[in-house]
Amino acid sequence: MGKFTISKRKNDEYQFNLKAENGEIILTSEGYTIKANCHKGIESVKINSQDDSRYDRRVAVNDKSYFVLKARNGEIIGKSQYYSSKSSMEIGISSVKTNAPTAEIVDETL
């Protein structure tokens, strides 16, 4: 089972990472100034991760593939790592779809 980990950045913003069963980070959030908003972001990932139209597949300037997950309002709620191929990126999306809905939340800021 995957898990969401909440941590604090050096600038004191909260962020979450969605990790797959193997511990690999498959989605990273933007920064949140309030922890409650970080939790809302996690809930948004759980809901929106199941809708393929919420994934924006992109190519970075270094020709690496990556994706962002967007909420219904178009706001980005998470970004993937960079992948060496489009097929690897699709596996990453599939992993988010599988892990997000039932992932436990681990708050590392406590």
Side-chain angles (χ1 to χ4, degrees), residues 25-30 66-69 76-82:
I25 295 172
I26 50 178
L27 193 72
T28 299
S29 75
E30 305 289 309
Y66 72 102
F67 63 87
V68 295
L69 177 62
I76 294 173
I77 49 180
K79 181 183 168 201
S80 74
Q81 65 181 13
Y82 293 111

Side-chain angles (χ1 to χ4, degrees), residues 12-52:
D12 281 339
E13 288 185 334
Y14 296 93
Q15 76 170 37
F16 64 80
N17 288 309
L18 174 59
K19 296 182 179 181
E21 262 186 84
N22 64 4
E24 186 173 332
I25 295 172
I26 50 178
L27 193 72
T28 299
S29 75
E30 305 289 309
Y32 297 94
T33 55
I34 301 169
K35 190 190 290 189
N37 290 342
C38 190
H39 280 278
K40 288 178 186 176
I42 290 170
E43 291 308 312
S44 184
V45 169
K46 288 184 175 202
I47 294 165
N48 290 289
S49 64
Q50 301 310 293
D51 184 345
D52 195 66

Side-chain angles (χ1 to χ4, degrees), residues 3-4 6 9 15-16 20 24 36-38 40 43 51 54 56 58 72 74 76 79 83 86-88 103:
K3 66 180 175 180
F4 287 97
I6 297 173
R9 295 178 173 179
Q15 76 170 37
F16 64 80
E24 186 173 332
N37 290 342
C38 190
K40 288 178 186 176
E43 291 308 312
D51 184 345
R54 301 276 189 255
D56 189 0
R58 299 179 175 184
R72 201 174 3 195
I76 294 173
K79 181 183 168 201
Y83 295 94
K86 288 183 180 180
S87 61
S88 295

Side-chain angles (χ1 to χ4, degrees), residues 56-68 82-86 89:
D56 189 0
R57 293 150 170 92
R58 299 179 175 184
V59 178
V61 293
N62 63 0
D63 286 331
K64 301 281 185 180
S65 298
Y66 72 102
F67 63 87
V68 295
Y82 293 111
Y83 295 94
S84 58
S85 68
K86 288 183 180 180
M89 177 188 64

